[in-house]
Amino acid sequence: MNPDADKLWQAPRWALAVLLALLGMLGPFSIDTYIPAFAGIAQSTGATPVQMQQTLSAYLFGFAFMNLFHGALSDSFGRRPVILIGLAVFTLASIGCALANTPTQLIFWRALQGLSTGAGIVVSRAVIRDMFPPSQAQKVMSQVTIYFGIAPAIAPIIGGLLFVHAGWHSIFWFLVGVGVLLFAFNWKMLPETLHASQRQPFQVAHLLRGYWQLCSDPRFLLLALASGVPFNGMFLYVLAAPAFLGEHLRLAPTQFFWFFVLNIGGIMLGSWSSGRLAGKVAPKRQIRDGFFIMLLSALLNVVANALFTAHVAWALWPLAFFAFGWALMVPVVTLLVLDLHPARRGMASSLQAVIGATANGLVAGLVAPLVMHSTLGMALTCLGMLGVGLLAWLWVHRRWPEIGRHIAAG
């Protein structure tokens, strides 16, 4: 934690949470906003279905690759310049997307978008731990998770409206505006939170030692899996929303919002509960409760889909409770990851994001297309994703029982 933290931010804590949440939202927002315009973009640019998929894959691979470096750069040069440069590159890339006339051009600029957007979510986590002691950091992380959960829901709605009324180019001009506003707000408001005494030398050998230190630490890898993989139990349904909601539940497109409302409600309530429990309940107990809720929800979802034909009257509720359980435990696990190696919090946040982004990419490119046409298949896959995270946490719990045992101070 920065020893001068109390002097760096004089505004209310929630204002910093909003600013950091907006940075974190930029990545998923950039994915989901243009998805409703896929058909229109393909028709306008002459893109094949494979090329349209490449516009998404290029973004995800760029996002995952650069996440390896955002945190390490912020550990050496500071949090503020990495965030500002990332926002500037994102704005430039969004202009390129808006002006693109061919699939190749769009793929290139989407890749550049992906390379830049990870700075927000990666570095914002390190900023939180720079600024607050553990229990307060959990409260702020929970607030950030509340706002972050809104992005995947509202992005397709905004993108769909822009596409219908102003064409697909307007989606990327909208993202240009978002980039400009975020750059202006962060230029004016975001302080440098990494104390000069805590900066790491920017040397290849030093960076490689840091990556090896983290990647060879089983505690780090297991905690990163515990926080990142279960998210894909929800993300699968977001990716498969047209098939799940339209084909299986027979909802009209104008009724899709119920799915997003319930999931956002679960995430917001879970994040709020996590913040309320900060400093009162041991992290290990909160993680246990979150996994128990997710496991119960996922099992009920499998049983219901095995016995009955999916119906809107019950099919959405297990997912909302799953989202609640995930949001209850993920701020705690994230802070445990960041505190394993305090001198390398930026790098730890980077590698944690890489693990999550890699899982997201595999689900988007391989898993979702295979199971999206079966509600039972999706339910079993959701349970499987949760199982990976749960086994990772149980391994940590058994091998290192002291992790998360004590109530965080501050």
Side-chain angles (χ1 to χ4, degrees):
M1 179 177 169
N2 191 319
D4 301 322
D6 58 338
K7 303 174 185 176
L8 296 177
W9 185 266
Q10 301 298 322
R13 187 177 61 196
W14 64 264
L16 178 60
V18 171
L19 185 66
L20 297 177
L22 290 173
L23 288 171
M25 287 169 62
L26 192 60
F29 208 81
S30 301
I31 296 174
D32 297 334
T33 311
Y34 90 124
I35 287 178
F38 256 42
I41 296 173
Q43 184 177 6
S44 173
T45 62
T48 65
V50 172
Q51 288 174 318
M52 287 306 303
Q53 187 63 36
Q54 287 173 344
T55 67
L56 180 59
S57 300
Y59 178 95
L60 291 172
F61 283 124
F63 183 85
F65 172 76
M66 197 59 197
N67 273 346
L68 285 169
F69 306 103
H70 287 307
L73 290 170
S74 77
D75 284 339
S76 297
F77 299 107
R79 318 298 191 202
R80 179 179 163 89
V82 173
I83 287 176
L84 291 176
I85 292 173
L87 289 172
V89 174
F90 170 79
T91 304
L92 174 65
S94 298
I95 293 174
C97 291
L99 297 176
N101 293 313
T102 67
T104 302
Q105 292 172 356
L106 187 59
I107 291 168
F108 171 80
W109 291 113
R110 285 288 290 170
L112 189 59
Q113 271 190 329
L115 289 170
S116 62
T117 51
I121 190 169
V122 167
V123 182
S124 63
R125 292 172 180 169
V127 168
I128 292 172
R129 198 59 187 87
D130 289 342
M131 292 291 289
F132 301 103
S135 66
Q136 292 185 33
Q138 183 181 331
K139 293 177 181 178
V140 176
M141 191 76 75
S142 299
Q143 291 172 339
V144 168
T145 305
I146 290 175
Y147 303 124
F148 176 80
I150 298 173
I154 64 172
I157 297 173
I158 294 174
L161 290 172
L162 288 171
F163 172 63
V164 170
H165 296 289
W168 69 267
H169 295 279
S170 66
I171 295 173
F172 293 106
W173 286 119
F174 171 76
L175 293 177
V176 171
V178 170
V180 170
L181 288 175
L182 282 178
F183 184 91
F185 285 146
N186 282 274
W187 178 273
K188 183 175 179 60
M189 299 175 64
L190 184 69
E192 177 51 65
T193 63
L194 182 66
H195 195 269
S197 64
Q198 298 170 334
R199 298 196 178 194
Q200 300 292 311
F202 189 72
Q203 301 169 352
V204 173
H206 183 77
L207 290 175
L208 291 177
R209 282 196 300 271
Y211 285 121
W212 175 252
Q213 181 184 22
L214 292 173
C215 292
S216 62
D217 185 346
R219 300 171 304 167
F220 169 80
L221 295 175
L222 290 168
L223 286 172
L225 288 173
S227 65
V229 178
F231 170 79
N232 287 278
M234 298 183 297
F235 189 54
L236 168 67
Y237 282 89
V238 174
L239 293 169
F244 175 61
L245 301 175
E247 295 178 17
H248 300 302
L249 301 187
R250 302 186 183 280
L251 293 177
T254 54
Q255 298 172 311
F256 283 14
F257 76 95
W258 286 111
F259 167 73
F260 296 108
V261 166
L262 288 173
N263 280 274
I264 289 175
I267 290 174
M268 294 181 71
L269 186 58
S271 300
W272 178 82
S273 300
S274 181
R276 294 284 293 179
L277 294 172
K280 301 176 183 178
V281 174
K284 180 169 288 190
R285 177 181 167 187
Q286 194 169 324
I287 295 169
R288 180 202 67 189
D289 292 345
F291 271 114
F292 176 77
I293 293 169
M294 285 191 289
L295 180 60
L296 182 61
S297 302
L299 287 172
L300 287 174
N301 194 32
V302 170
V303 171
N305 281 282
L307 296 178
F308 306 104
T309 301
H311 190 277
V312 67
W314 57 262
L316 301 181
W317 289 103
L319 307 177
F321 283 108
F322 188 99
F324 173 86
W326 176 81
L328 182 67
M329 69 89 182
V330 77
V332 186
V333 180
T334 299
L335 289 173
L336 292 178
V337 169
L338 296 180
D339 285 345
L340 285 174
H341 300 278
R344 299 188 185 276
R345 285 197 176 104
M347 184 179 286
S349 183
S350 277
L351 289 174
Q352 183 187 23
V354 167
I355 291 173
T358 301
N360 294 347
L362 291 173
V363 171
L366 298 176
V367 179
L370 292 175
V371 302
M372 63 192 300
H373 299 296
S374 166
T375 58
L376 180 58
M378 286 190 284
L380 288 169
T381 304
C382 176
L383 180 62
M385 296 288 179
L386 170 62
V388 173
L390 179 57
L391 288 175
W393 170 247
L394 290 175
W395 193 344
V396 172
H397 171 70
R398 182 177 178 84
R399 177 66 178 81
W400 297 276
E402 72 281 1
I403 292 181
R405 172 180 290 171
H406 302 293
I407 297 175

